[in-house]
Amino acid sequence: QVQPVESGEKLVQAGGSLRLSCAGSGRIFSNYGLGWFRQAPGKEPEFVAAIGWSGGIDIYADSVKGRFTISRDNAKNTMHLQMNALKPEDTAVYYCVLERRPFTTGSRSADDYDAWGQGTQVTVSS
């Protein structure tokens, strides 16, 4: 399981920054790839970023590349998404996710993840 460290909606103005964090439990956290997805109202979940089990490989959606950074701290069983230069189109519910299989390098496919966190609403105002 993975769950947001902090609950509640996050509000920020365009151009601002936010850091989302999730904590893992119930598995050997360090053995699994991690990811972030987001879902805007009326849309399908969208891949945002992923990081491999060892932390050596990270991948990003083109829409966030250069602005967002995914990271993990295996000693603390936590994962983070640093979001900079936020835009109104980044407004969505953000989900932290844990891969279904261990020792993978991260995936863009939602089907490869079977543990989804509760979700955090991020609202970016213009």
Side-chain angles (χ1 to χ4, degrees):
Q1 301 291 334
V2 282
Q3 291 296 340
V5 171
E6 298 179 352
S7 60
E9 183 176 2
K10 309 299 182 185
L11 304 172
V12 65
Q13 290 188 331
S17 297
L18 277 177
R19 187 187 196 215
L20 302 181
S21 297
C22 285
S25 63
R27 294 185 190 179
I28 303 176
F29 185 82
S30 59
N31 288 351
Y32 291 84
L34 308 170
W36 290 91
F37 282 73
R38 67 186 182 186
Q39 187 170 21
K43 295 188 176 181
E44 294 293 316
E46 174 191 20
F47 168 77
V48 175
I51 187 167
W53 72 278
S54 66
I57 297 175
D58 53 341
I59 55 177
Y60 298 92
D62 288 343
S63 58
V64 307
K65 195 175 296 183
R67 299 188 298 123
F68 291 12
T69 302
I70 186 172
S71 62
R72 63 189 300 160
D73 185 341
N74 288 337
K76 298 180 179 179
N77 282 7
T78 55
M79 60 187 291
H80 311 284
L81 184 69
Q82 178 66 44
M83 304 185 291
N84 298 328
L86 282 160
K87 305 175 182 180
E89 50 264 44
D90 294 319
T91 295
V93 177
Y94 283 72
Y95 296 91
C96 50
V97 293
L98 191 67
E99 281 216 61
R100 186 182 307 276
R101 295 169 297 178
F103 307 119
T104 55
T105 55
S107 171
R108 297 176 182 269
S109 173
D111 291 340
D112 288 332
Y113 300 90
D114 67 346
W116 289 65
Q118 184 173 355
T120 300
Q121 175 68 49
V122 173
T123 301
V124 184
S125 61
S126 57

